[in-house]
């Protein structure tokens, strides 16, 4: 496996590439959720690339940019063992200059749900994904459905900008008790972890009710809030 730091080096390396390229963009601290994307990419493609980049522009003031978990040595081993050919590990200065053009997320879909709590977050996500896709020019790119709003906005960007890549969405990998795997789970203490688990429990509850034919959204919301209550 080759580790590449700059976009220029990576583009030079890929200049005459004719093989199919699978690409998995990540922020590192890899877990089985990431690995499911990596394994699928390796299965589908002849050349496989993972990026690890904690993208500063998608973090808001006061968020965890400075303490985001870094496990580069373990990540490198995971990628190598999984059959990744190139690990792209740029620094902030390799990816951004001052006063750049940005991709702006749509007014409504970028500012509801997570976007309502983190205004501007998805502008940063779309901008870095645009950059990464232009640097790598993959045949297929792999994203988790765990980050559903991100996946939906990236799909819209690819559609709106007529980008050639094929997006492959993959299911959420969870702990046995239902908690979605996330690099940020290490922040949770016992009580918070219990509370976090209620998110998947409430979703499960809603799914059961829908299967039973209960489709009134107000009632579904009420039942979910019961599960979420502390
Ligand atoms: P991140 O490193 O958090 O930026 O995630 C990189 C990619 O892995 C994104 O496409 C995420 O949606 C995906 N991912 C993260 N956690 C999981 C999970 N538990 N199951 C499936 N995919 C995941």
């Amino acid at each position: 496996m080759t580790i590449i730091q700059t976009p220029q080096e990576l583009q030079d390396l890929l200049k005459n590439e004719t093989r199919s390229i699978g690409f998995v963009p990540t922020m590192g601290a890899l877990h089985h959720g990431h690995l499911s994307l990596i394994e699928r990419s390796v299965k589908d493609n002849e050349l496989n690339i993972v990026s690890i980049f904690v993208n500063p522009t998608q973090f808001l003031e006061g968020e965890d940019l400075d303490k985001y978990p870094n496990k580069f040595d373990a990540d490198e081993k995971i990628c190598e063992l999984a059959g990744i050919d190139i690990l792209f590990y740029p620094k902030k200065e390799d990816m951004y200059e001052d006063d750049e053009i940005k991709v702006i997320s749509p007014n409504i879909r970028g500012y509801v749900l997570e976007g309502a709590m983190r205004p501007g977050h998805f502008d940063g996500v779309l901008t870095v994904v645009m950059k990464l896709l232009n640097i790598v020019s993959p045949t297929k790119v792999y994203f988790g459905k765990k980050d559903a709003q991100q996946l939906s906005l990236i799909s819209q960007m690819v559609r709106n900008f007529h980008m050639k890549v094929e997006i492959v969405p993959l299911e959420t990998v969870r702990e046995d008790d239902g908690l979605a795997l996330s690099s940020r789970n290490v922040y949770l203490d016992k009580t918070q972890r219990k509370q976090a688990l209620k998110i998947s429990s409430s979703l499960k509850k809603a799914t059961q009710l829908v299967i039973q034919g209960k489709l009134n959204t107000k009632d579904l919301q009420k039942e979910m809030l019961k599960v979420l209550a502390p």
Side-chain angles (χ1 to χ4, degrees), residues 204-217:
K204 249 186 243 157
K205 177 77 190 179
T207 308
Q208 280 165 3
L209 292 170
V210 169
I211 290 169
Q212 288 165 19
K214 296 186 178 129
L215 300 177
N216 183 305
T217 48

Side-chain angles (χ1 to χ4, degrees), residues 95-129:
M95 292 294 281
Y96 289 101
E97 54 185 77
D98 291 338
D99 199 21
E100 284 199 340
I101 291 169
K102 293 185 183 73
V103 181
I104 304 293
S105 57
N107 276 336
I108 298 171
R109 298 180 60 230
Y111 288 86
V112 292
L113 303 169
E114 186 176 358
M117 307 297 290
R118 308 178 76 189
H121 164 70
F122 288 113
D123 298 355
V125 170
L126 294 178
T127 300
V128 79
V129 171

Side-chain angles (χ1 to χ4, degrees), residues 25-28 31 33-34 36-37 68 142-147 150 170-174 180-183:
T26 81
M27 299 206 298
H31 49 64
H34 298 111
S36 72
L37 273 54
Y68 196 85
Y142 297 79
F143 289 104
K145 291 187 192 172
K146 184 191 79 134
D147 300 284
Q150 166 177 290
L170 292 177
E171 295 305 325
T172 303
V173 178
R174 297 176 181 279
L181 296 185
S182 163
S183 307

Side-chain angles (χ1 to χ4, degrees), residues 176-205:
D176 289 342
D177 61 7
L179 185 69
L181 296 185
S182 163
S183 307
R184 287 188 166 106
N185 285 352
V186 293
Y187 300 155
L188 302 174
D189 64 27
K190 250 187 175 170
T191 317
Q192 290 167 330
R193 197 189 178 287
K194 249 189 180 165
Q195 193 67 19
L197 196 53
K198 291 182 178 179
I199 299 171
S200 59
S201 305
S202 70
L203 289 167
K204 249 186 243 157
K205 177 77 190 179

